[in-house]
Protein backbone atom coordinates (compact mmCIF):
# COMPACT_ATOMS: atom_id res chain seq x y z
CA UNK A 1 0.00 0.00 0.00
CA UNK A 2 1.28 3.48 -0.82
CA UNK A 3 1.06 4.84 2.71
CA UNK A 4 2.11 8.38 1.84
CA UNK A 5 -1.05 8.86 -0.26
CA UNK A 6 -3.14 7.94 2.78
CA UNK A 7 -1.76 10.72 4.95
CA UNK A 8 -3.69 13.72 3.64
CA UNK A 9 -6.89 13.20 5.59
CA UNK A 10 -5.19 11.93 8.74
CA UNK A 11 -3.83 13.58 11.84
CA UNK A 12 -0.06 13.01 11.89
CA UNK A 13 1.29 11.97 15.30
CA UNK A 14 5.10 11.74 15.72
CA UNK A 15 6.35 8.90 17.95
CA UNK A 16 9.98 8.08 18.93
CA UNK A 17 11.09 5.29 16.59
CA UNK A 18 13.57 3.69 19.07
CA UNK A 19 15.57 4.39 22.21
CA UNK A 20 14.50 5.16 25.76
CA UNK A 21 11.10 6.65 24.96
CA UNK A 22 9.88 4.10 22.41
CA UNK A 23 8.33 1.38 24.61
CA UNK A 24 6.49 3.74 26.98
CA UNK A 25 5.17 5.81 24.06
CA UNK A 26 3.75 2.63 22.49
CA UNK A 27 2.13 1.73 25.84
CA UNK A 28 0.47 5.17 25.95
CA UNK A 29 -0.94 4.62 22.43
CA UNK A 30 -2.23 1.16 23.39
CA UNK A 31 -3.79 2.49 26.60
CA UNK A 32 -5.47 5.23 24.54
CA UNK A 33 -7.01 2.65 22.17
CA UNK A 34 -5.10 4.03 19.21
CA UNK A 35 -4.74 0.73 17.34
CA UNK A 36 -2.22 0.32 14.53
CA UNK A 37 -0.11 -2.21 12.72
CA UNK A 38 3.46 -1.23 11.92
CA UNK A 39 5.15 -3.24 9.16
CA UNK A 40 8.78 -4.08 9.78
CA UNK A 41 11.14 -1.22 8.94
CA UNK A 42 8.28 1.10 7.98
CA UNK A 43 8.25 4.45 9.79
CA UNK A 44 4.61 5.22 9.03
CA UNK A 45 1.70 3.27 10.50
CA UNK A 46 -1.97 4.03 9.84
CA UNK A 47 -4.26 3.65 12.82
CA UNK A 48 -6.86 0.97 12.15
CA UNK A 49 -9.58 2.60 14.28
CA UNK A 50 -8.97 6.37 14.11
CA UNK A 51 -8.00 8.82 11.31
CA UNK A 52 -4.45 9.05 12.66
CA UNK A 53 -1.10 8.23 11.02
CA UNK A 54 1.78 7.49 13.37
CA UNK A 55 5.10 8.77 12.10
CA UNK A 56 8.07 7.06 13.78
CA UNK A 57 11.00 9.47 14.03
CA UNK A 58 14.18 9.94 16.09
CA UNK A 59 13.23 11.67 19.37
CA UNK A 60 15.58 14.54 18.47
CA UNK A 61 13.77 15.26 15.17
CA UNK A 62 10.24 15.32 16.60
CA UNK A 63 10.31 18.97 17.82
CA UNK A 64 11.17 20.14 14.30
CA UNK A 65 8.41 18.08 12.63
CA UNK A 66 5.83 19.36 15.15
CA UNK A 67 7.22 22.91 15.30
CA UNK A 68 7.01 23.28 11.54
CA UNK A 69 3.49 21.86 11.56
CA UNK A 70 4.36 18.73 9.53
CA UNK A 71 2.95 16.67 12.41
CA UNK A 72 0.15 17.98 14.64
CA UNK A 73 1.15 16.01 17.72
CA UNK A 74 4.30 14.35 19.00
CA UNK A 75 5.81 12.57 21.97
CA UNK A 76 9.39 13.44 22.88
CA UNK A 77 11.58 14.59 25.76
CA UNK A 78 11.32 18.22 26.79
CA UNK A 79 15.15 18.23 26.56
CA UNK A 80 14.82 17.68 22.82
CA UNK A 81 12.30 20.51 22.54
CA UNK A 82 14.58 22.94 24.42
CA UNK A 83 17.67 21.81 22.47
CA UNK A 84 15.87 22.31 19.14
CA UNK A 85 14.69 25.71 20.45
CA UNK A 86 11.46 25.28 18.54
CA UNK A 87 8.15 26.82 19.49
CA UNK A 88 5.63 24.07 20.22
CA UNK A 89 2.89 23.69 22.78
CA UNK A 90 3.87 21.30 25.61
CA UNK A 91 0.43 19.83 26.32
CA UNK A 92 1.20 17.26 28.97
CA UNK A 93 3.98 15.80 31.08
CA UNK A 94 3.74 12.06 30.37
CA UNK A 95 5.68 11.14 33.54
CA UNK A 96 8.22 8.84 31.91
CA UNK A 97 11.68 9.38 30.42
CA UNK A 98 12.54 11.40 33.53
CA UNK A 99 16.22 12.29 33.89
CA UNK A 100 18.53 15.28 34.28
CA UNK A 101 20.89 16.91 31.82
CA UNK A 102 24.00 17.35 33.94
CA UNK A 103 27.50 18.76 33.84
CA UNK A 104 29.85 15.83 34.58
CA UNK A 105 33.57 15.85 35.33
CA UNK A 106 36.16 13.15 36.13
CA UNK A 107 35.46 12.07 39.74
CA UNK A 108 39.15 12.22 40.65
CA UNK A 109 39.85 15.42 38.69
CA UNK A 110 40.36 19.06 39.71
CA UNK A 111 36.84 20.44 38.97
CA UNK A 112 34.12 20.75 41.59
CA UNK A 113 32.09 23.74 40.31
CA UNK A 114 30.83 24.55 36.77
CA UNK A 115 32.49 28.03 36.99
CA UNK A 116 35.88 26.25 36.99
CA UNK A 117 35.09 24.94 33.48
CA UNK A 118 34.92 28.40 31.90
CA UNK A 119 37.38 28.44 28.98
CA UNK A 120 37.61 24.63 28.94
CA UNK A 121 36.26 22.10 26.41
CA UNK A 122 32.84 20.54 26.97
CA UNK A 123 31.44 17.68 24.88
CA UNK A 124 27.71 17.02 24.56
CA UNK A 125 24.94 15.85 22.26
CA UNK A 126 23.04 18.91 23.55
CA UNK A 127 25.35 21.62 22.22
CA UNK A 128 22.73 24.39 22.12
CA UNK A 129 21.69 23.92 25.74
CA UNK A 130 25.33 23.55 26.77
CA UNK A 131 26.35 26.77 24.97
CA UNK A 132 23.44 28.66 26.49
CA UNK A 133 24.31 27.34 29.97
CA UNK A 134 28.01 28.30 29.80
CA UNK A 135 27.35 31.65 28.12
CA UNK A 136 25.05 32.49 31.02
CA UNK A 137 27.70 31.29 33.48
CA UNK A 138 30.27 33.51 31.78
CA UNK A 139 27.78 36.38 31.66
CA UNK A 140 28.44 37.07 27.97
CA UNK A 141 26.58 36.46 24.69
CA UNK A 142 27.32 33.05 23.11
CA UNK A 143 29.34 34.73 20.35
CA UNK A 144 31.80 36.00 22.99
CA UNK A 145 32.08 32.97 25.26
CA UNK A 146 35.46 31.37 25.84
CA UNK A 147 34.20 27.88 26.74
CA UNK A 148 34.44 25.50 23.76
CA UNK A 149 31.46 23.20 23.15
CA UNK A 150 31.86 20.18 20.86
CA UNK A 151 29.21 17.81 19.52
CA UNK A 152 29.31 14.04 19.96
CA UNK A 153 26.24 12.01 18.93
CA UNK A 154 26.52 9.10 21.43
CA UNK A 155 28.73 7.53 24.12
CA UNK A 156 29.42 11.08 25.31
CA UNK A 157 30.60 9.69 28.67
CA UNK A 158 33.83 8.38 27.03
CA UNK A 159 34.94 11.89 26.01
CA UNK A 160 36.90 12.82 29.16
CA UNK A 161 38.79 9.50 29.30
CA UNK A 162 39.63 9.83 25.60
CA UNK A 163 41.07 13.28 26.17
CA UNK A 164 38.69 15.25 23.96
CA UNK A 165 36.82 16.97 26.81
CA UNK A 166 37.44 18.47 30.25
CA UNK A 167 33.78 17.84 31.09
CA UNK A 168 30.62 16.58 29.45
CA UNK A 169 26.97 17.56 29.54
CA UNK A 170 24.82 14.43 29.31
CA UNK A 171 21.64 12.81 30.60
CA UNK A 172 21.66 11.07 33.97
CA UNK A 173 18.91 8.84 35.30
CA UNK A 174 20.28 6.16 37.65
CA UNK A 175 23.82 7.54 37.38
CA UNK A 176 25.20 4.12 36.39
CA UNK A 177 26.63 5.27 33.04
CA UNK A 178 28.23 8.29 34.69
CA UNK A 179 29.83 6.29 37.52
CA UNK A 180 31.00 3.52 35.18
CA UNK A 181 32.85 6.18 33.17
CA UNK A 182 34.52 7.52 36.34
CA UNK A 183 32.52 10.76 36.25
CA UNK A 184 30.55 12.73 38.82
CA UNK A 185 27.89 15.43 38.39
CA UNK A 186 28.54 18.99 39.52
CA UNK A 187 25.51 20.88 38.13
CA UNK A 188 22.12 20.37 36.49
CA UNK A 189 21.36 22.14 33.22
CA UNK A 190 17.79 20.85 32.84
CA UNK A 191 15.24 18.44 34.34
CA UNK A 192 13.46 16.56 31.60
CA UNK A 193 10.66 14.04 30.97
CA UNK A 194 8.62 12.93 27.98
CA UNK A 195 5.84 15.33 26.95
CA UNK A 196 2.92 15.34 24.56
CA UNK A 197 3.61 18.29 22.28
CA UNK A 198 1.34 20.01 19.77
CA UNK A 199 1.96 22.22 16.77
CA UNK A 200 1.08 25.89 17.35
CA UNK A 201 -0.81 25.75 14.05
CA UNK A 202 -2.40 22.30 13.86
CA UNK A 203 -3.79 21.34 10.46
CA UNK A 204 -5.75 18.31 11.64
CA UNK A 205 -9.15 17.90 13.24
CA UNK A 206 -9.12 19.85 16.53
CA UNK A 207 -11.81 17.63 18.03
CA UNK A 208 -9.64 14.59 17.36
CA UNK A 209 -6.66 16.31 19.01
CA UNK A 210 -8.87 17.00 22.04
CA UNK A 211 -9.99 13.37 22.12
CA UNK A 212 -6.40 12.07 21.97
CA UNK A 213 -5.38 14.44 24.74
CA UNK A 214 -8.29 13.34 26.93
CA UNK A 215 -7.53 9.65 26.30
CA UNK A 216 -3.87 10.12 27.24
CA UNK A 217 -4.91 12.01 30.37
CA UNK A 218 -7.11 8.99 31.17
CA UNK A 219 -4.16 6.61 30.75
CA UNK A 220 -1.99 8.73 33.07
CA UNK A 221 -4.75 8.96 35.67
CA UNK A 222 -5.32 5.19 35.48
CA UNK A 223 -1.59 4.70 36.12
CA UNK A 224 -1.61 7.08 39.07
CA UNK A 225 -4.77 6.01 40.90
CA UNK A 226 -6.42 2.82 42.14
CA UNK A 227 -10.07 2.32 42.99
CA UNK A 228 -10.77 1.73 46.66
CA UNK A 229 -14.00 0.40 48.13
CA UNK A 230 -14.90 -0.41 51.75
CA UNK A 231 -17.68 -0.51 54.31
CA UNK A 232 -17.79 2.22 56.95
CA UNK A 233 -19.78 2.54 60.19
CA UNK A 234 -22.11 5.57 59.87
CA UNK A 235 -21.15 6.93 63.31
CA UNK A 236 -17.47 7.32 62.22
CA UNK A 237 -18.12 8.28 58.61
CA UNK A 238 -16.94 11.88 58.78
CA UNK A 239 -13.48 10.96 60.13
CA UNK A 240 -13.17 8.01 57.69
CA UNK A 241 -14.07 10.07 54.60
CA UNK A 242 -11.16 12.42 55.30
CA UNK A 243 -8.87 9.48 54.43
CA UNK A 244 -10.45 8.94 50.98
CA UNK A 245 -11.74 12.32 49.73
CA UNK A 246 -11.71 11.00 46.11
CA UNK A 247 -10.81 13.11 43.06
CA UNK A 248 -14.08 15.03 43.33
CA UNK A 249 -15.89 13.35 46.22
CA UNK A 250 -16.34 9.77 47.44
CA UNK A 251 -19.41 7.77 46.36
CA UNK A 252 -21.50 6.67 49.34
CA UNK A 253 -24.15 3.94 48.97
CA UNK A 254 -26.57 2.47 51.43
CA UNK A 255 -26.19 -1.22 52.15
CA UNK A 256 -28.53 -3.70 53.74
CA UNK A 257 -27.37 -2.76 57.24
CA UNK A 258 -28.65 0.42 58.94
CA UNK A 259 -25.45 1.19 60.79
CA UNK A 260 -23.16 0.98 57.72
CA UNK A 261 -22.57 2.45 54.24
CA UNK A 262 -20.35 1.38 51.33
CA UNK A 263 -17.78 3.93 50.15
CA UNK A 264 -15.89 4.05 46.81
CA UNK A 265 -13.16 6.52 45.89
CA UNK A 266 -10.06 6.82 43.72
CA UNK A 267 -6.88 6.93 45.80
CA UNK A 268 -3.26 7.48 44.79
CA UNK A 269 -1.57 4.17 44.01
CA UNK A 270 1.63 5.22 45.78
CA UNK A 271 -0.32 5.81 49.02
CA UNK A 272 -2.60 2.77 48.97
CA UNK A 273 -0.84 0.89 51.79
CA UNK A 274 -1.07 3.83 54.17
CA UNK A 275 -4.66 4.62 53.19
CA UNK A 276 -5.79 1.02 53.79
CA UNK A 277 -4.02 0.94 57.19
CA UNK A 278 -5.69 4.19 58.22
CA UNK A 279 -9.16 3.10 57.04
CA UNK A 280 -8.85 -0.10 59.05
CA UNK A 281 -7.67 1.73 62.15
CA UNK A 282 -10.71 4.05 61.94
CA UNK A 283 -13.17 1.13 61.83
CA UNK A 284 -13.69 0.51 58.07
CA UNK A 285 -14.03 -3.12 56.97
CA UNK A 286 -13.90 -5.14 53.72
CA UNK A 287 -11.38 -2.73 52.22
CA UNK A 288 -10.62 -3.69 48.61
CA UNK A 289 -8.38 -1.95 46.07
CA UNK A 290 -8.66 -2.49 42.30
CA UNK A 291 -6.33 -1.42 39.49
CA UNK A 292 -7.95 0.96 37.00
CA UNK A 293 -7.37 -0.24 33.45
CA UNK A 294 -8.60 3.02 31.88
CA UNK A 295 -10.64 6.10 32.70
CA UNK A 296 -11.70 9.54 31.49
CA UNK A 297 -11.35 12.45 33.89
N1 LIG B 1 18.64 7.19 30.91
C1 LIG B 1 17.52 7.78 30.58
N2 LIG B 1 16.48 7.72 31.39
C2 LIG B 1 15.32 8.30 31.07
N3 LIG B 1 15.13 9.00 29.92
C3 LIG B 1 16.12 9.08 29.09
C4 LIG B 1 17.36 8.48 29.37
N4 LIG B 1 18.17 8.71 28.34
C5 LIG B 1 17.44 9.42 27.47
N5 LIG B 1 16.22 9.67 27.91
C6 LIG B 1 15.15 10.42 27.23
O1 LIG B 1 14.96 9.81 25.97
C7 LIG B 1 15.26 10.72 24.92
C8 LIG B 1 15.91 9.97 23.78
O2 LIG B 1 17.12 9.42 24.24
P1 LIG B 1 17.76 8.14 23.60
O3 LIG B 1 19.10 7.91 24.25
O4 LIG B 1 16.79 7.03 23.64
O5 LIG B 1 17.98 8.68 22.14
P2 LIG B 1 17.97 8.06 20.77
O6 LIG B 1 19.19 8.64 20.13
O7 LIG B 1 16.67 8.32 20.10
O8 LIG B 1 18.13 6.50 20.95
P3 LIG B 1 19.47 5.65 20.92
O9 LIG B 1 20.27 6.10 22.14
O10 LIG B 1 18.96 4.24 21.02
O11 LIG B 1 20.14 5.95 19.62
C9 LIG B 1 16.17 11.75 25.57
O12 LIG B 1 16.17 12.97 24.89
C10 LIG B 1 15.57 11.87 26.95
O13 LIG B 1 14.42 12.70 26.92
O1 LIG C 1 22.02 7.38 34.37
P1 LIG C 1 21.73 6.19 33.54
O2 LIG C 1 20.55 5.41 34.04
O3 LIG C 1 22.93 5.31 33.34
O4 LIG C 1 21.27 6.72 32.09
C1 LIG C 1 22.02 7.66 31.40
C2 LIG C 1 22.39 7.21 30.01
O5 LIG C 1 21.19 6.96 29.27
C3 LIG C 1 21.29 7.63 28.01
O6 LIG C 1 21.97 6.87 27.08
P2 LIG C 1 21.43 5.53 26.44
O7 LIG C 1 21.68 4.39 27.34
O8 LIG C 1 19.99 5.72 26.03
O9 LIG C 1 22.35 5.36 25.16
P3 LIG C 1 23.11 6.42 24.24
O10 LIG C 1 24.36 6.78 25.00
O11 LIG C 1 23.38 5.66 22.99
O12 LIG C 1 22.18 7.58 24.03
C4 LIG C 1 22.15 8.85 28.32
O13 LIG C 1 22.74 9.40 27.17
C5 LIG C 1 23.17 8.31 29.33
O14 LIG C 1 24.30 7.80 28.69
Amino acid sequence: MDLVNHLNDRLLFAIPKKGRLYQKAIEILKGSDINFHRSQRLDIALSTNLPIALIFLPAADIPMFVGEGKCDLGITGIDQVREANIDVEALMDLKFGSCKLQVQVPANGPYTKPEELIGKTIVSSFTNLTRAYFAQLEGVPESQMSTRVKFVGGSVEASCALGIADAIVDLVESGETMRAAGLTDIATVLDTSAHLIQSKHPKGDLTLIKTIKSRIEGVLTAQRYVYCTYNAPKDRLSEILVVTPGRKAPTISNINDDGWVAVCAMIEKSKKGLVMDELKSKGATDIIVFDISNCRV
Side-chain angles (χ1 to χ4, degrees):
M1 183 174 38
D2 181 3
L3 285 181
V4 176
N5 288 327
H6 287 75
L7 298 184
N8 287 342
D9 45 2
R10 286 177 180 257
L11 185 134
L12 304 195
F13 192 171
I15 305 296
K17 65 183 285 181
K18 63 181 175 70
R20 295 276 186 159
L21 304 181
Y22 174 76
Q23 199 50 46
K24 286 272 169 52
I26 297 297
E27 282 166 26
I28 294 254
L29 295 176
K30 284 206 174 121
S32 306
D33 286 324
I34 300 173
N35 300 339
F36 66 95
H37 172 72
R38 184 182 175 193
S39 304
Q40 271 223 323
R41 305 218 45 80
L42 251 187
D43 286 338
I44 299 174
L46 303 184
S47 167
T48 49
N49 61 340
L50 287 166
I52 297 174
L54 302 169
I55 316 291
F56 291 90
L57 296 167
D61 293 342
I62 290 176
M64 193 262 284
F65 276 83
V66 176
E68 293 192 359
K70 305 290 179 227
C71 296
D72 285 335
L73 290 176
I75 290 178
T76 193
I78 209 71
D79 52 339
Q80 302 291 358
V81 175
R82 302 282 174 260
E83 172 66 15
N85 196 15
I86 281 174
D87 199 16
V88 295
E89 206 138 342
L91 291 184
M92 211 187 298
D93 184 347
L94 299 174
K95 309 281 184 198
F96 66 88
S98 302
C99 51
K100 290 173 190 286
L101 186 63
Q102 294 194 307
V103 182
Q104 302 166 38
V105 293
N108 53 6
Y111 309 114
T112 54
K113 289 197 292 240
E115 290 78 5
E116 295 162 0
L117 293 166
I118 289 174
K120 306 288 178 200
T121 302
I122 319 293
V123 161
S124 182
S125 304
F126 294 84
T127 48
N128 291 332
L129 287 171
T130 303
R131 267 194 209 98
Y133 178 83
F134 279 97
Q136 199 188 24
L137 211 60
E138 290 190 36
V140 295
E142 285 181 32
S143 56
Q144 291 169 25
M145 66 193 272
S146 63
T147 311
R148 288 176 298 278
V149 177
K150 286 196 219 160
F151 176 81
V152 164
S155 302
V156 178
E157 63 280 359
S159 304
C160 294
L162 294 175
I164 59 163
D166 297 297
I168 63 164
V169 169
D170 197 14
L171 296 169
V172 178
E173 186 204 11
S174 66
E176 261 175 58
T177 309
M178 177 176 76
R179 284 189 292 275
L183 302 170
T184 187
D185 60 294
I186 55 168
T188 297
V189 174
L190 184 79
D191 283 288
T192 179
S193 59
H195 277 63
L196 177 69
I197 59 171
Q198 187 196 304
S199 158
K200 289 251 160 148
H201 309 286
K203 295 195 200 93
D205 177 355
L206 293 181
T207 312
L208 181 56
I209 292 178
K210 224 169 134 188
T211 303
I212 295 168
K213 194 179 160 218
S214 145
R215 286 189 183 194
I216 294 178
E217 262 165 8
V219 174
L220 296 186
T221 308
Q223 285 169 357
R224 186 169 160 205
Y225 290 93
V226 288
Y227 190 69
C228 179
T229 158
Y230 56 89
N231 292 326
K234 280 183 180 165
D235 57 355
R236 297 188 69 183
L237 193 57
S238 53
E239 59 170 315
I240 289 179
L241 289 183
V242 176
V243 184
T244 60
R247 274 177 55 86
K248 199 168 258 135
T251 305
I252 300 165
S253 322
N254 286 322
I255 57 173
N256 202 11
D257 184 327
D258 278 351
W260 291 74
V261 287
V263 182
C264 304
M266 283 162 86
I267 62 171
E268 281 192 54
K269 195 184 265 179
S270 62
K271 298 190 181 138
K272 70 173 190 290
L274 281 177
V275 168
M276 290 169 86
D277 293 342
E278 214 177 329
L279 288 174
K280 184 144 178 58
S281 75
K282 289 182 191 291
T285 65
D286 310 301
I287 306 158
I288 306 171
V289 160
F290 300 94
D291 277 337
I292 301 170
S293 74
N294 213 330
C295 63
R296 291 287 177 279
V297 288

